[in-house]
Amino acid sequence: MIQIAVFSDVHGNLPALDSVLKDIEERGIRQKFCLGDLVDFAPWGNEVIEKIRSLNIPCLMGNHDERIAFDIPVIPLSKHSEEETEARFIAIDHSKKHITEENKRFLSALPFHLKLNYKIGNRHWNIQLVHSSLTSNDTYLYESENDEVFSDMLKESQSDVIVMGHTHLSFVKHFENNGWAVNAGSVGRSKEDNRLASYLILTLDEENITPEIVQIAYPLEQTLLGIGKSGIPNYYAHFLSNKKISIKQ
């Protein structure tokens, strides 16, 4: 049996990342992979990057990582309210100003996606890791998507399971051909009602792949205090605490 942990969308939330890494360690899981989006929306972008680097955790380039690494302009999204749009511009500008040049170079060299192959007995398992899809790191694929969307991705990647993040909403879908599509959720900016830090454990044996979404609490007050002391809008503190949102400082 082999177990791997996959997590995504830390978004500068170091207390959440530390809690997830501690949980993974306590479970005795040695292999860890990150699907990207290390930065924006909480004040520890540099510390998160440096922790991923120091632990040699393979990491993909999320859309936020790419934006910060290459100073890509921020484009308003139609799905966002006026309040969130204003907060988003301020928060991303904060990252652009505070992420070090060394860490930006690290982000710029991250791979777009990663294919894993594990051999257990006579069985090979192929696991495709992406931030959001095979062709984009900024495509929103939800559990409600037609099954063919995920089946086509599995076929194209020639994989048994495809693991993604980006939407901050976890799900597990199993198809008749025994393929899996899994969203690992978000470590640092969950959009689920419980706002817990989320990650994925994949257990592999010679017969099966078993995905498990793990959701854990973390020192939320520490994150809220950190946001409050930074130049990041309180919109994101209210969001994480699942309270009525305001960007007023």
Side-chain angles (χ1 to χ4, degrees):
M1 182 186 76
I2 295 173
Q3 286 190 309
I4 68 171
V6 185
F7 61 90
S8 189
D9 295 276
V10 181
H11 287 294
N13 192 338
L14 185 63
L17 176 61
D18 283 341
S19 295
V20 164
L21 292 176
K22 181 181 178 182
D23 192 72
I24 293 169
E25 181 180 0
E26 288 175 348
R27 293 171 184 264
I29 301 173
R30 296 184 178 182
Q31 297 192 62
K32 300 176 285 288
F33 300 89
C34 179
L35 304 182
D37 272 5
L38 303 180
V39 297
D40 293 338
F41 309 136
W44 297 282
N46 283 309
E47 291 84 350
V48 166
I49 294 168
E50 287 154 14
K51 175 146 290 189
I52 296 295
R53 293 176 64 185
S54 68
L55 296 174
N56 294 314
I57 298 174
C59 184
L60 304 184
M61 181 189 289
N63 57 307
H64 285 266
D65 305 319
E66 184 176 18
R67 182 183 292 112
I68 298 306
F70 299 106
D71 195 22
I72 297 171
V74 183
I75 299 173
L77 301 178
S78 60
K79 67 177 183 173
H80 289 166
S81 65
E82 182 179 342
E83 290 82 2
E84 183 168 2
T85 296
E86 182 178 348
R88 181 169 170 263
F89 271 78
I90 295 170
I92 293 173
D93 186 62
H94 183 276
S95 292
K96 288 185 175 184
K97 290 178 179 177
H98 288 85
I99 300 300
T100 68
E101 289 305 314
E102 181 181 359
N103 284 337
K104 287 179 181 179
R105 285 193 293 272
F106 172 79
L107 295 178
S108 73
L110 293 175
F112 192 76
H113 52 65
L114 183 64
K115 180 82 167 285
L116 307 175
N117 179 282
Y118 289 91
K119 184 177 184 292
I120 304 177
N122 293 318
R123 184 66 179 265
H124 284 267
W125 293 112
N126 292 303
I127 301 168
Q128 180 70 61
L129 305 181
V130 301
H131 180 69
S132 69
S133 76
L134 290 169
T135 57
S136 169
N137 62 8
D138 201 13
T139 300
Y140 291 87
L141 297 177
Y142 297 100
E143 185 175 8
S144 58
E145 298 289 335
N146 190 299
D147 286 355
E148 290 183 0
V149 172
F150 301 111
S151 296
D152 288 347
M153 292 171 66
L154 288 164
K155 183 177 180 180
E156 181 179 350
S157 63
Q158 296 184 322
S159 57
D160 300 291
V161 57
I162 186 161
V163 185
M164 66 203 78
H166 187 56
T167 65
H168 304 193
L169 293 165
S170 63
F171 66 77
V172 174
K173 299 192 77 168
H174 189 211
F175 306 106
E176 289 183 1
N177 64 355
N178 292 322
W180 296 86
V182 184
N183 191 304
S186 172
V187 169
R189 192 170 179 259
S190 172
K191 294 183 179 179
E192 299 183 45
D193 289 342
N194 59 28
R195 297 298 197 264
L196 298 177
S198 176
Y199 76 97
L200 168 70
I201 297 173
L202 282 178
T203 302
L204 317 176
D205 60 33
E206 194 168 0
E207 300 297 327
N208 298 292
I209 294 179
T210 305
E212 177 190 1
I213 299 295
V214 178
Q215 296 186 328
I216 62 171
Y218 64 91
L220 177 60
E221 291 300 324
Q222 184 180 344
T223 299
L224 303 184
L225 183 62
I227 292 173
K229 289 182 176 180
S230 73
I232 296 170
N234 279 337
Y235 175 99
Y236 295 103
H238 292 307
F239 180 91
L240 289 174
S241 58
N242 214 3
K243 296 178 180 178
K244 185 177 179 181
I245 294 171
S246 169
I247 64 167
K248 293 181 180 179
Q249 301 294 314

